[in-house]
Amino acid sequence: MKIVSWNVNGIRAMLKKGFLDFMDEVDPDIICLQETKASPEQVDLSLDAYPHKFWNSAVKKGYSGTAIFSKIPPISVENDL
């Protein structure tokens, strides 16, 4: 299993800098992103190979946020500490 974890410091900026090409090349099973600084509806992101998508966006727009994209279904999902 291959997992990529990346602090993208803004996913919209990373999409302009070849993020999708890199992910195609590396082909991880799970992608974990930190500092996305966007909610899913703010991003035009097509990751069809990753049917399991989990976003945790900050309440205040433009701040922090995480996202996980997985080819593998999770055993369970808990949105809490």
Side-chain angles (χ1 to χ4, degrees):
M1 178 184 306
K2 189 185 295 187
I3 299 172
V4 169
S5 180
W6 189 354
N7 183 322
V8 295
N9 195 24
I11 189 153
R12 291 172 285 192
M14 288 308 300
L15 287 170
K16 295 175 186 173
K17 294 180 180 179
F19 171 79
L20 294 176
D21 292 335
F22 177 76
M23 286 302 147
D24 284 342
E25 182 181 323
V26 175
D27 191 31
D29 297 303
I30 300 172
I31 303 168
C32 303
L33 304 178
Q34 301 84 43
E35 298 293 329
T36 56
K37 299 185 180 181
S39 59
E41 54 275 353
Q42 294 176 300
V43 181
D44 184 19
L45 181 61
S46 176
L47 291 171
D48 295 332
Y50 299 87
H52 310 285
K53 298 175 173 112
F54 306 95
W55 290 77
N56 184 13
S57 303
V59 174
K60 190 170 182 179
K61 300 241 186 247
Y63 283 83
S64 64
T66 60
I68 297 174
F69 308 102
S70 178
K71 293 178 180 178
I72 303 159
I75 295 170
S76 68
V77 175
E78 190 170 326
N79 294 315
D80 201 355
L81 291 175

